[in-house]
Amino acid sequence: MSMEKRTSRLTLLIDPDKKAVFEQLCAREDQTPSQVVRRLIRDYIEQRLGQPWKPGDKVVGTPQ
């Protein structure tokens, strides 16, 4: 898998209790919350596109 650029920031609001549990579960898997969120986003993209995706791929038919 190629290294993705990590230059954009995504800010979201989440319940503090949910955040704490999420961070604990990430730590159990020896992953950072950012790693898990990036994987979730990549999986979401691939599921919606119905095919593998890699950085630089464009979505056809979507305004730029």
Side-chain angles (χ1 to χ4, degrees):
M1 179 178 299
S2 65
M3 180 62 86
E4 297 177 10
K5 292 181 186 177
R6 295 192 181 120
T7 57
S8 293
R9 182 175 303 271
L10 176 66
T11 302
L12 59 104
L13 300 175
I14 186 170
D15 175 273
D17 292 333
K18 192 179 294 180
K19 179 180 179 278
V21 171
F22 178 66
E23 290 173 333
Q24 290 170 5
L25 293 171
C26 290
R28 280 188 193 173
E29 296 176 354
D30 195 28
Q31 295 189 27
T32 66
S34 290
Q35 289 172 314
V36 174
V37 170
R38 284 192 296 268
R39 187 182 71 235
L40 291 169
I41 291 172
R42 187 173 46 252
D43 290 348
Y44 178 87
I45 290 169
E46 290 181 348
Q47 184 180 49
R48 293 302 185 270
L49 292 177
Q51 63 187 26
W53 179 87
K54 63 183 183 300
D57 287 354
K58 301 293 182 202
V59 177
V60 178
T62 303
Q64 298 295 322

Coordinates of all heavy atoms in Angstrom, one line a residue:
M1 N 0.9 -1.2 0.0 CA 0.0 0.0 0.0 C 0.9 1.2 0.0 O 1.9 1.3 0.7 CB -0.9 0.0 1.2 CG -1.8 1.2 1.3 SD -2.9 1.1 2.8 CE -3.8 -0.4 2.4
S2 N 0.5 2.2 -0.8 CA 1.4 3.4 -0.9 C 1.1 4.3 0.3 O 0.0 4.3 0.9 CB 1.0 4.2 -2.2 OG -0.3 4.6 -2.2
M3 N 2.1 5.1 0.6 CA 1.9 6.1 1.7 C 1.0 7.2 1.3 O 1.2 7.8 0.2 CB 3.3 6.6 2.1 CG 3.3 7.6 3.3 SD 2.6 6.9 4.8 CE 4.1 6.2 5.4
E4 N 0.0 7.5 2.1 CA -0.9 8.6 1.8 C -0.3 9.9 2.3 O 0.4 9.9 3.3 CB -2.2 8.3 2.4 CG -2.9 7.1 1.9 CD -4.2 6.8 2.6 OE1 -4.7 7.6 3.4 OE2 -4.7 5.7 2.4
K5 N -0.7 11.0 1.6 CA -0.3 12.3 2.1 C -1.2 12.6 3.4 O -2.4 12.2 3.4 CB -0.6 13.4 1.1 CG 0.3 13.3 -0.1 CD -0.1 14.5 -1.0 CE 0.7 14.4 -2.3 NZ 0.3 15.4 -3.3
R6 N -0.6 13.1 4.4 CA -1.4 13.4 5.6 C -1.3 14.9 5.9 O -0.7 15.4 6.8 CB -0.8 12.6 6.7 CG -1.1 11.1 6.5 CD -0.8 10.3 7.7 NE -1.1 8.9 7.3 CZ -0.2 7.9 7.4 NH1 1.0 8.2 7.8 NH2 -0.5 6.7 7.0
T7 N -1.8 15.7 4.9 CA -1.7 17.1 5.1 C -3.0 17.8 5.3 O -3.1 19.0 5.5 CB -1.1 17.7 3.8 OG1 -1.9 17.4 2.7 CG2 0.3 17.2 3.6
S8 N -4.1 17.1 5.3 CA -5.4 17.7 5.5 C -5.9 17.3 6.9 O -5.7 16.2 7.4 CB -6.5 17.3 4.5 OG -6.1 17.8 3.2
R9 N -6.7 18.2 7.5 CA -7.2 18.0 8.8 C -8.7 17.8 8.8 O -9.4 18.6 8.1 CB -6.8 19.1 9.8 CG -7.2 18.9 11.2 CD -6.7 20.1 12.1 NE -5.2 20.2 12.0 CZ -4.4 19.5 12.8 NH1 -4.8 18.7 13.7 NH2 -3.1 19.7 12.7
L10 N -9.2 16.9 9.5 CA -10.6 16.7 9.6 C -11.0 16.9 11.1 O -10.5 16.1 11.9 CB -11.0 15.3 9.2 CG -12.5 14.8 9.3 CD1 -13.4 15.7 8.4 CD2 -12.6 13.4 9.0
T11 N -11.8 17.8 11.4 CA -12.2 18.1 12.8 C -13.7 17.6 12.9 O -14.5 17.9 12.1 CB -12.1 19.6 13.0 OG1 -10.8 20.0 12.8 CG2 -12.5 19.9 14.5
L12 N -13.9 16.9 14.0 CA -15.3 16.5 14.3 C -15.5 16.5 15.8 O -14.6 16.5 16.6 CB -15.5 15.0 13.7 CG -14.6 14.0 14.3 CD1 -15.3 13.1 15.3 CD2 -14.0 13.1 13.2
L13 N -16.8 16.6 16.1 CA -17.2 16.7 17.5 C -17.8 15.3 17.8 O -18.5 14.7 17.0 CB -18.3 17.7 17.7 CG -17.9 19.2 17.3 CD1 -19.1 20.1 17.5 CD2 -16.8 19.6 18.2
I14 N -17.4 14.8 19.0 CA -17.8 13.5 19.4 C -18.1 13.5 20.9 O -17.4 14.3 21.7 CB -16.8 12.4 19.0 CG1 -17.2 11.0 19.4 CG2 -15.4 12.7 19.7 CD1 -16.3 9.9 18.8
D15 N -19.0 12.7 21.4 CA -19.3 12.6 22.8 C -18.0 12.2 23.6 O -17.3 11.3 23.1 CB -20.4 11.5 23.0 CG -20.7 11.3 24.4 OD1 -20.0 10.4 25.0 OD2 -21.6 11.9 24.9
P16 N -17.7 12.9 24.7 CA -16.4 12.6 25.4 C -16.3 11.1 25.9 O -15.2 10.5 25.8 CB -16.5 13.5 26.6 CG -17.4 14.6 26.2 CD -18.4 14.0 25.2
D17 N -17.4 10.5 26.3 CA -17.4 9.1 26.7 C -17.1 8.2 25.5 O -16.3 7.2 25.6 CB -18.7 8.7 27.3 CG -19.0 9.4 28.6 OD1 -18.0 9.8 29.3 OD2 -20.2 9.6 29.0
K18 N -17.7 8.5 24.4 CA -17.5 7.7 23.2 C -16.0 7.8 22.7 O -15.4 6.8 22.3 CB -18.4 8.1 22.0 CG -18.4 7.2 20.8 CD -19.4 7.7 19.8 CE -20.8 7.7 20.3 NZ -21.8 8.1 19.3
K19 N -15.5 9.0 22.8 CA -14.1 9.3 22.5 C -13.1 8.5 23.4 O -12.2 7.8 22.9 CB -13.7 10.8 22.6 CG -12.3 11.1 22.3 CD -12.1 12.6 22.4 CE -10.6 13.0 22.1 NZ -9.7 12.8 23.2
A20 N -13.4 8.4 24.7 CA -12.6 7.7 25.6 C -12.6 6.2 25.3 O -11.5 5.6 25.3 CB -13.0 8.0 27.0
V21 N -13.7 5.7 25.0 CA -13.8 4.2 24.7 C -13.1 3.9 23.4 O -12.3 3.0 23.3 CB -15.3 3.8 24.6 CG1 -15.4 2.3 24.1 CG2 -15.9 3.9 26.0
F22 N -13.3 4.8 22.4 CA -12.6 4.7 21.1 C -11.1 4.6 21.3 O -10.4 3.8 20.8 CB -13.0 5.8 20.2 CG -12.4 5.8 18.8 CD1 -12.6 4.7 17.9 CD2 -11.5 6.8 18.4 CE1 -12.0 4.7 16.7 CE2 -10.9 6.8 17.2 CZ -11.2 5.7 16.3
E23 N -10.6 5.6 22.1 CA -9.1 5.7 22.3 C -8.6 4.4 23.0 O -7.5 3.9 22.7 CB -8.8 6.9 23.1 CG -9.0 8.2 22.3 CD -8.8 9.5 23.1 OE1 -9.0 9.5 24.3 OE2 -8.4 10.5 22.5
Q24 N -9.4 3.9 24.0 CA -9.0 2.7 24.7 C -8.9 1.5 23.8 O -8.0 0.7 23.8 CB -9.9 2.4 25.8 CG -9.8 3.4 27.0 CD -11.0 3.2 28.0 OE1 -11.8 2.3 27.9 NE2 -11.0 4.2 29.0
L25 N -9.9 1.4 22.9 CA -10.0 0.3 22.0 C -8.8 0.4 20.9 O -8.2 -0.6 20.6 CB -11.3 0.2 21.2 CG -12.5 -0.2 22.1 CD1 -13.8 0.0 21.4 CD2 -12.3 -1.6 22.7
C26 N -8.5 1.6 20.5 CA -7.4 1.8 19.6 C -6.1 1.4 20.3 O -5.3 0.7 19.7 CB -7.3 3.2 19.1 SG -8.6 3.8 18.1
A27 N -5.9 1.7 21.5 CA -4.7 1.4 22.2 C -4.6 -0.1 22.4 O -3.5 -0.6 22.3 CB -4.7 2.1 23.6
R28 N -5.7 -0.8 22.6 CA -5.6 -2.3 22.7 C -5.1 -2.9 21.4 O -4.5 -4.0 21.5 CB -7.0 -2.8 22.9 CG -7.5 -2.8 24.3 CD -8.8 -3.5 24.4 NE -9.5 -3.3 25.6 CZ -10.8 -3.7 25.9 NH1 -11.4 -4.4 25.0 NH2 -11.3 -3.4 27.0
E29 N -5.4 -2.3 20.3 CA -4.9 -2.8 19.0 C -3.6 -2.2 18.6 O -3.1 -2.4 17.5 CB -6.0 -2.4 17.9 CG -7.3 -3.1 18.1 CD -8.3 -2.7 17.1 OE1 -8.1 -1.8 16.3 OE2 -9.4 -3.3 17.2
D30 N -3.0 -1.4 19.5 CA -1.7 -0.7 19.2 C -1.8 0.1 18.0 O -0.9 0.1 17.2 CB -0.6 -1.7 19.1 CG 0.8 -1.1 19.2 OD1 0.9 0.0 19.9 OD2 1.8 -1.6 18.7
Q31 N -2.9 0.9 17.9 CA -3.1 1.8 16.8 C -3.5 3.2 17.3 O -4.1 3.2 18.4 CB -4.2 1.3 15.8 CG -3.8 0.0 15.1 CD -4.8 -0.3 14.0 OE1 -5.4 0.5 13.5 NE2 -4.9 -1.6 13.7
T32 N -3.1 4.2 16.6 CA -3.6 5.5 17.0 C -5.0 5.7 16.5 O -5.4 5.1 15.5 CB -2.7 6.6 16.4 OG1 -2.8 6.7 15.0 CG2 -1.2 6.4 16.8
P33 N -5.8 6.6 17.1 CA -7.1 6.9 16.6 C -7.0 7.4 15.2 O -7.9 7.1 14.4 CB -7.6 8.0 17.6 CG -6.9 7.7 18.9 CD -5.6 7.2 18.5
S34 N -6.0 8.2 14.8 CA -5.9 8.7 13.4 C -5.7 7.5 12.4 O -6.3 7.5 11.4 CB -4.7 9.6 13.3 OG -5.0 10.8 14.0
Q35 N -5.0 6.5 12.8 CA -4.8 5.4 11.9 C -6.1 4.7 11.7 O -6.5 4.3 10.6 CB -3.8 4.4 12.5 CG -2.4 4.8 12.5 CD -1.5 3.9 13.3 OE1 -1.8 3.5 14.4 NE2 -0.3 3.5 12.7
V36 N -6.9 4.5 12.8 CA -8.2 3.8 12.7 C -9.2 4.6 11.8 O -9.8 4.1 11.0 CB -8.7 3.5 14.1 CG1 -10.1 2.9 14.0 CG2 -7.8 2.5 14.8
V37 N -9.2 5.9 12.1 CA -10.1 6.8 11.3 C -9.7 6.8 9.8 O -10.6 6.7 8.9 CB -10.2 8.2 11.9 CG1 -10.9 9.1 10.9 CG2 -10.8 8.2 13.2
R38 N -8.4 6.8 9.5 CA -8.0 6.8 8.1 C -8.4 5.5 7.4 O -8.9 5.5 6.3 CB -6.5 7.0 8.0 CG -6.1 8.4 8.1 CD -4.6 8.7 7.7 NE -3.7 7.9 8.6 CZ -3.1 8.4 9.7 NH1 -3.4 9.7 10.1 NH2 -2.2 7.7 10.3
R39 N -8.3 4.4 8.2 CA -8.7 3.1 7.6 C -10.2 3.0 7.4 O -10.7 2.6 6.4 CB -8.3 1.9 8.6 CG -8.6 0.5 7.9 CD -8.2 -0.6 8.9 NE -9.2 -0.7 10.0 CZ -8.9 -0.6 11.2 NH1 -7.6 -0.5 11.6 NH2 -9.8 -0.7 12.2
L40 N -11.0 3.6 8.4 CA -12.4 3.6 8.2 C -12.9 4.4 7.0 O -13.8 4.0 6.3 CB -13.1 4.2 9.5 CG -13.0 3.3 10.8 CD1 -13.4 4.1 12.0 CD2 -13.9 2.1 10.6
I41 N -12.2 5.5 6.8 CA -12.6 6.4 5.7 C -12.2 5.7 4.4 O -13.0 5.7 3.4 CB -11.9 7.8 5.8 CG1 -12.5 8.6 6.9 CG2 -12.0 8.5 4.5 CD1 -11.7 9.8 7.3
R42 N -11.0 5.1 4.3 CA -10.6 4.4 3.1 C -11.6 3.2 2.8 O -12.0 3.0 1.7 CB -9.2 3.8 3.3 CG -8.6 3.2 2.0 CD -7.1 2.9 2.2 NE -6.8 2.2 3.4 CZ -6.2 2.7 4.4 NH1 -5.7 3.9 4.4 NH2 -5.9 2.0 5.5
D43 N -12.0 2.5 3.8 CA -12.9 1.4 3.7 C -14.3 1.9 3.2 O -14.9 1.3 2.3 CB -13.1 0.6 5.0 CG -11.9 -0.2 5.4 OD1 -11.0 -0.4 4.5 OD2 -11.9 -0.7 6.5
Y44 N -14.7 3.0 3.7 CA -16.0 3.6 3.3 C -15.9 4.0 1.8 O -16.8 3.7 1.0 CB -16.3 4.9 4.2 CG -17.5 5.6 3.8 CD1 -18.8 5.2 4.3 CD2 -17.5 6.7 2.9 CE1 -19.9 5.9 4.0 CE2 -18.6 7.4 2.5 CZ -19.8 7.0 3.1 OH -21.0 7.6 2.7
I45 N -14.8 4.7 1.4 CA -14.7 5.1 0.0 C -14.7 3.8 -0.9 O -15.4 3.8 -1.9 CB -13.3 5.8 -0.2 CG1 -13.4 7.2 0.5 CG2 -13.0 6.0 -1.7 CD1 -12.1 7.9 0.6
E46 N -14.0 2.8 -0.6 CA -13.9 1.6 -1.4 C -15.3 0.9 -1.4 O -15.7 0.4 -2.5 CB -12.8 0.7 -0.9 CG -11.4 1.3 -1.2 CD -10.3 0.4 -0.8 OE1 -10.5 -0.6 -0.1 OE2 -9.1 0.7 -1.2
Q47 N -16.0 0.9 -0.3 CA -17.3 0.3 -0.3 C -18.2 1.0 -1.2 O -19.0 0.4 -2.0 CB -17.8 0.2 1.1 CG -19.1 -0.5 1.3 CD -19.6 -0.5 2.7 OE1 -19.6 0.6 3.4 NE2 -19.9 -1.6 3.2
R48 N -18.2 2.3 -1.2 CA -19.1 3.1 -2.0 C -18.8 3.1 -3.5 O -19.6 3.1 -4.3 CB -19.2 4.6 -1.5 CG -19.8 4.8 -0.1 CD -21.2 4.2 -0.1 NE -21.9 4.5 1.2 CZ -21.8 3.7 2.2 NH1 -21.2 2.6 2.2 NH2 -22.5 4.0 3.3
L49 N -17.4 3.0 -3.8 CA -17.0 3.0 -5.2 C -17.2 1.6 -5.7 O -17.2 1.4 -7.0 CB -15.6 3.4 -5.3 CG -15.3 4.9 -5.0 CD1 -13.8 5.2 -5.1 CD2 -16.1 5.8 -6.0
G50 N -17.1 0.6 -4.9 CA -17.2 -0.8 -5.3 C -16.0 -1.3 -5.9 O -16.0 -2.3 -6.7
Q51 N -14.8 -0.7 -5.6 CA -13.5 -1.1 -6.1 C -12.4 -0.5 -5.3 O -12.7 0.4 -4.5 CB -13.4 -0.6 -7.6 CG -13.3 0.9 -7.7 CD -13.3 1.4 -9.1 OE1 -13.8 0.8 -10.0 NE2 -12.8 2.6 -9.3
P52 N -11.3 -1.1 -5.4 CA -10.1 -0.6 -4.6 C -9.8 0.8 -5.0 O -10.1 1.3 -6.1 CB -9.0 -1.5 -5.0 CG -9.6 -2.8 -5.4 CD -10.9 -2.3 -6.1
W53 N -9.3 1.6 -4.0 CA -9.0 3.0 -4.3 C -7.6 3.3 -3.8 O -7.1 2.7 -2.8 CB -10.0 3.9 -3.5 CG -9.7 5.4 -3.6 CD1 -10.1 6.2 -4.6 CD2 -8.9 6.2 -2.8 NE1 -9.7 7.5 -4.4 CE2 -8.9 7.5 -3.3 CE3 -8.2 6.0 -1.6 CZ2 -8.2 8.5 -2.7 CZ3 -7.5 7.0 -1.0 CH2 -7.5 8.3 -1.6
K54 N -6.9 4.2 -4.5 CA -5.5 4.6 -4.0 C -5.4 6.1 -4.1 O -6.2 6.7 -4.9 CB -4.4 3.8 -4.8 CG -4.4 4.1 -6.2 CD -3.3 3.3 -6.9 CE -3.1 3.6 -8.3 NZ -4.2 3.4 -9.2
P55 N -4.6 6.7 -3.3 CA -4.4 8.1 -3.4 C -4.2 8.6 -4.8 O -3.4 8.0 -5.6 CB -3.2 8.4 -2.5 CG -3.2 7.3 -1.5 CD -3.7 6.1 -2.3
G56 N -4.8 9.7 -5.2 CA -4.7 10.2 -6.5 C -5.8 9.8 -7.5 O -6.1 10.4 -8.5
D57 N -6.5 8.7 -7.1 CA -7.7 8.3 -7.9 C -8.8 9.4 -7.8 O -9.0 9.9 -6.7 CB -8.2 7.0 -7.5 CG -7.4 5.8 -7.8 OD1 -6.4 6.0 -8.5 OD2 -7.7 4.6 -7.4
K58 N -9.4 9.6 -8.9 CA -10.5 10.6 -8.9 C -11.8 9.8 -9.0 O -11.9 8.7 -9.6 CB -10.4 11.5 -10.1 CG -9.1 12.3 -10.2 CD -9.1 13.3 -9.0 CE -7.8 14.1 -9.1 NZ -7.4 14.7 -7.9
V59 N -12.9 10.4 -8.5 CA -14.2 9.8 -8.6 C -14.9 10.4 -9.8 O -15.1 11.6 -10.0 CB -15.1 10.2 -7.4 CG1 -16.5 9.6 -7.5 CG2 -14.4 9.6 -6.1
V60 N -15.2 9.6 -10.8 CA -15.8 10.0 -12.1 C -17.2 10.5 -11.9 O -18.0 9.9 -11.1 CB -15.8 8.8 -13.1 CG1 -16.4 9.2 -14.4 CG2 -14.3 8.3 -13.3
G61 N -17.5 11.6 -12.5 CA -18.9 12.1 -12.4 C -19.1 13.0 -11.2 O -20.3 13.3 -10.9
T62 N -18.1 13.4 -10.5 CA -18.2 14.2 -9.3 C -17.6 15.6 -9.6 O -16.5 15.6 -10.1 CB -17.5 13.6 -8.1 OG1 -18.0 12.3 -7.9 CG2 -17.7 14.4 -6.8
P63 N -18.3 16.7 -9.2 CA -17.7 18.0 -9.4 C -16.3 18.1 -8.7 O -16.2 17.6 -7.6 CB -18.7 19.0 -8.8 CG -19.9 18.2 -8.7 CD -19.6 16.7 -8.6
Q64 N -15.4 18.8 -9.3 CA -14.0 18.9 -8.7 C -14.0 20.1 -7.8 O -14.2 21.2 -8.0 CB -13.0 19.0 -9.8 CG -12.9 17.7 -10.6 CD -12.5 16.5 -9.8 OE1 -11.6 16.6 -8.9 NE2 -13.1 15.4 -10.1

